[in-house]
Amino acid sequence: MSLVTYLGVRTLPRAWRTLNTDFPDYYLTARLAREHYDTSRVYEWIWLQRQKDHFGIDQRIVAMVPTTPFSALVVWPLT
């Protein structure tokens, strides 16, 4: 019971203040693929950060390290 109380009082309110998702990672990669950029560069961290800034994505860090460009195809229709 104390774990549920702790989760409801302390953890959930903090989690709702900042929602960190992987959506910008997938969106940026899908948009780069749609606009015919060289997708072999999506694992180059500095280049990907420059593209994020160029497209105006408001998230500190975007990285495709744990995912594949193929998995970004789910977001393709949104680009």
Side-chain angles (χ1 to χ4, degrees), residues 4-76:
V4 173
T5 304
Y6 181 79
L7 181 69
V9 173
R10 185 150 171 97
T11 306
L12 288 177
R14 288 183 181 186
W16 281 108
R17 277 189 230 138
T18 56
L19 183 62
N20 295 324
T21 66
D22 291 340
F23 180 77
D25 302 342
Y26 294 110
Y27 175 79
L28 180 60
T29 305
R31 185 166 178 186
L32 291 171
R34 179 177 283 263
E35 295 183 8
H36 303 290
Y37 282 85
D38 184 15
T39 55
S40 66
R41 298 192 72 188
V42 296
Y43 293 105
E44 295 177 25
W45 191 80
I46 294 172
W47 182 81
L48 196 64
Q49 297 306 312
R50 288 183 182 151
Q51 297 305 314
K52 172 195 70 88
D53 294 338
H54 175 72
F55 288 121
I57 296 175
D58 189 29
Q59 183 172 345
R60 269 188 144 165
I61 298 174
V62 173
M64 284 300 291
V65 174
T67 58
T68 62
F70 181 75
S71 60
L73 292 178
V74 174
V75 187
W76 179 281

